[in-house]
Amino acid sequence: MEELPVTAVGLKVNDGVVLGSERRLSYGGYVLSKQAKKVNKIGKFVIAGTGIYGDLQTLTRIMNVEIKYYEITNGRPISVKAAAKLLSVILYQYKVMPFISEILFGGVDQVGPQLYVLDPIGSLIEDSYAAVGSGARIAIGVLESEYRNDMSLEQASELVVKSIKASIERDVTSGDGIDIAIIDKNGNYKDSFIPY
């Protein structure tokens, strides 16, 4: 399968999860936008992805509705693993005409910080760190050389930014700033934009 344009990176540490992505939206060698936010909050979770931007937006909307429906129906919050499995099932249901996306999904619950990687047809893999998209080969090298699960959230954020900056330097479909989302071990959400 051809690599999907854009670069998204995620990692989990003892204190939470950090996901990030650059903002360039490109298609067929053209830059369509420099303001495409590809890291979004869904309930108490965060999603980042690569691929067709409209597919990412649609999946985010579907997941927002499904998570709210689950929580209203069951009278309790959905776990990170259950939400990731729900996303996996949604992706698999569309396997004939799949959402063209690679997704990182993270959150924190009573089990602790969790990070999942999903492909266009719903394969679900839990991991400590991951990079997807056209700049993933470069970003993963940075992550592998510096990742530790006992990093602080500030150090983890700096590593996500460093890995995305490395991919921006070498991948023409990536660029135009970096969005970062953090969920700490208490479930608090924080996001920021870093011009680059």
Side-chain angles (χ1 to χ4, degrees):
M1 184 170 116
E2 186 177 325
E3 292 173 329
L4 300 173
V6 178
T7 302
V9 172
L11 55 88
K12 72 173 181 179
V13 293
N14 295 336
D15 291 339
V17 295
V18 181
L19 273 70
S21 180
E22 45 70 44
R23 280 203 174 180
R24 182 170 294 166
L25 177 60
S26 56
Y27 182 75
Y30 296 98
V31 175
L32 299 176
S33 174
K34 296 179 179 183
Q35 299 297 320
K37 189 171 184 203
K38 296 166 259 181
V39 179
N40 295 292
K41 186 176 186 228
I42 300 177
K44 61 180 183 173
F45 312 110
V46 65
I47 187 171
T50 66
I52 295 178
Y53 191 58
D55 284 358
L56 295 171
Q57 290 177 314
T58 300
L59 284 168
T60 299
R61 287 192 294 270
I62 291 169
M63 284 298 291
N64 265 318
V65 170
E66 292 292 339
I67 287 170
K68 286 178 185 170
Y69 178 76
Y70 176 95
E71 293 180 345
I72 289 169
T73 303
N74 293 291
R76 62 184 165 85
I78 190 170
S79 69
V80 181
K81 187 173 187 176
K85 283 185 177 181
L86 175 60
L87 179 54
S88 172
V89 169
I90 290 166
L91 289 166
Y92 187 76
Q93 288 175 336
Y94 287 88
K95 71 179 180 177
V96 174
M97 291 290 290
F99 289 100
I100 307 303
S101 58
E102 293 176 327
I103 295 171
L104 301 174
F105 185 85
V108 177
D109 58 21
Q110 67 279 2
V111 174
Q114 296 161 69
L115 175 69
Y116 294 91
V117 184
L118 297 100
D119 71 6
I121 58 170
S123 299
L124 182 65
I125 301 166
E126 185 173 9
D127 215 332
S128 296
Y129 59 88
V132 294
S134 56
R137 290 183 209 166
I138 297 155
I140 202 72
V142 175
L143 292 175
E144 285 183 344
S145 66
E146 298 186 30
Y147 171 81
R148 298 181 337 270
N149 65 349
D150 63 348
M151 301 172 90
S152 69
L153 281 174
E154 184 177 334
Q155 291 170 321
S157 296
E158 289 170 3
L159 180 56
V160 167
V161 169
K162 183 178 181 179
S163 65
I164 294 173
K165 281 182 176 180
S167 71
I168 288 171
E169 293 291 328
R170 293 163 184 86
D171 175 30
V172 297
T173 63
S174 298
D176 302 310
I178 301 167
D179 286 304
I180 298 289
I182 301 167
I183 301 178
D184 70 20
K185 63 184 175 185
N186 299 315
N188 299 313
Y189 176 85
K190 177 183 171 188
D191 63 4
S192 60
F193 172 71
I194 296 135
Y196 187 73

